[in-house]
Amino acid sequence: MKKSTILFLTILSFYAFMNHGGGIYKTNTGNISFYSHTPVEDIRAVNHKVKTAFSSESGQLQFSCLIKDFEFKKALMQEHFNENYMESTTFPKATFNGNIKSIAAIDFSKDGTYSSEVIGKLTIKDVSKEVATTGTFVVSNGVVNAKATFNVNPYDYNVKIPKMVAPKISKSIKISVDSDYTHNH
Amino acid sequence: MKKIATLSISFILLSVLLFAYRMYNKPHTNVTESDAYEDLSAAQLFDMFDKNEDSAMTIFSDRVIQVTGTLLTKDFSNELEPQILLKTDNENGFIRCGFKPNELQILEQLKDSSNIKVKGICKGINGDDELTLLVDKDVILSSSIIIE
């Protein structure tokens, strides 16, 4: 009798855990794009192989992406971005390590749209700066889509831009994040 | 004499403009038409990045390479860039190959656990030891094509 009660409670706990959706949500195919607008030139690039995960219990959120994997429309722009400004052979990754502040308010077992402040450290070229933004989390059929935008100043991250091309590059580059997370059992 | 000088300067200016225009519009690397810089196994490639990322970046980054390995899984969750994973000798290490969306039909026909050869542009290794939620690591190939 006692054994069967323990077994029953274990199974019940397992189902409760599964339905709550606790644990790690992850994707290796997240999207990060950036957009620099100046009167002289608009620059866009996108990366579709962003590795990112969050804990639905602690709210910890992490990203890692390769700088060389940002695709530009113009090959020459991509080359200059990597070789001259980002020095991406020496500094190959950009990472983010932060927290979803209102993680407890997100019900991962129920479809819905939630928003939460996200704060953390963005590291580019070995320089870490705190960034904060509001993220939108859409839970749908077990998949969590997260979107957020924030702006960075390239000079804050030791990106050296020659005076001649400085008018072409914005001091407030818009970063957009869009990722579909699935539960990592 | 003045006419010749004017013509020469105009010709030089036009040449410079044409060169600048061609540089500005130069195409991205065509993987299909490029010769592979190196032909190696998925395990060898991952191992080189895992042991010494700086050295592997110097050798492989932005180079077109051919990689042979066992298909672990197909990941079509991002319709803008369908991807596949090749196994390596490291249980937390993979070769992640990204493809243009027009390659999707070819990828759909691939069978898990089959041995395949992929050609693509090596971008580096993604993953960070300090990020505890992202313990696995992927060596990334972009603009990939299936060779066999």
Side-chain angles (χ1 to χ4, degrees), chain A residues 31-45:
Chain A
N31 301 293
I32 291 182
S33 60
F34 67 78
Y35 173 58
S36 162
H37 170 75
T38 66
V40 185
E41 193 165 38
D42 285 347
I43 302 166
R44 292 171 203 271

Side-chain angles (χ1 to χ4, degrees), chain A residues 14-26:
Chain A
F14 176 74
Y15 275 106
F17 174 78
M18 292 304 283
N19 286 331
H20 176 260
I24 306 299
Y25 283 79
K26 196 174 178 185

Side-chain angles (χ1 to χ4, degrees), chain A residues 72-80 83, chain B residues 19-29:
Chain A
F72 291 67
K73 198 173 176 186
K74 300 270 181 209
L76 187 69
M77 265 187 197
Q78 191 167 318
E79 202 175 291
H80 286 172
E83 289 173 11
Chain B
F19 176 75
Y21 177 81
R22 289 188 73 169
M23 278 300 286
Y24 184 70
N25 290 296
K26 75 171 187 173
H28 284 276
T29 304

Side-chain angles (χ1 to χ4, degrees), chain A residues 58-171:
Chain A
S58 67
Q60 190 176 23
L61 172 69
Q62 297 176 338
F63 282 87
S64 175
C65 69
L66 291 183
I67 300 294
K68 278 185 186 283
D69 215 13
F70 278 95
E71 289 175 23
F72 291 67
K73 198 173 176 186
K74 300 270 181 209
L76 187 69
M77 265 187 197
Q78 191 167 318
E79 202 175 291
H80 286 172
F81 170 76
N82 282 296
E83 289 173 11
N84 303 344
Y85 312 138
M86 298 301 287
E87 301 170 87
S88 56
T89 301
T90 312
F91 306 102
K93 280 175 282 235
T95 61
F96 175 85
N97 194 0
N99 266 282
I100 303 164
K101 287 290 168 191
S102 308
I103 193 78
I106 303 174
D107 186 348
F108 293 98
S109 65
K110 203 168 91 183
D111 288 1
T113 302
Y114 309 85
S115 67
S116 170
E117 192 182 12
V118 176
I119 299 175
K121 278 194 173 163
L122 177 69
T123 304
I124 299 169
K125 291 188 81 176
D126 281 355
V127 178
S128 296
K129 297 267 177 195
E130 190 168 288
V131 293
T133 186
T134 301
T136 304
F137 299 84
V138 179
V139 180
S140 176
N141 295 322
V143 176
V144 182
N145 173 263
K147 284 190 178 76
T149 60
F150 55 95
N151 291 284
V152 295
N153 182 341
Y155 293 94
D156 287 346
Y157 293 92
N158 203 21
V159 178
K160 295 182 185 88
I161 299 164
K163 272 188 186 169
M164 221 175 94
V165 292
K168 292 181 178 180
I169 298 166
S170 172
K171 289 188 176 77

Side-chain angles (χ1 to χ4, degrees), chain B residues 10-30:
Chain B
S10 301
F11 178 75
I12 292 165
L13 270 175
L14 268 172
S15 302
V16 168
L17 279 173
L18 185 67
F19 176 75
Y21 177 81
R22 289 188 73 169
M23 278 300 286
Y24 184 70
N25 290 296
K26 75 171 187 173
H28 284 276
T29 304
N30 185 326

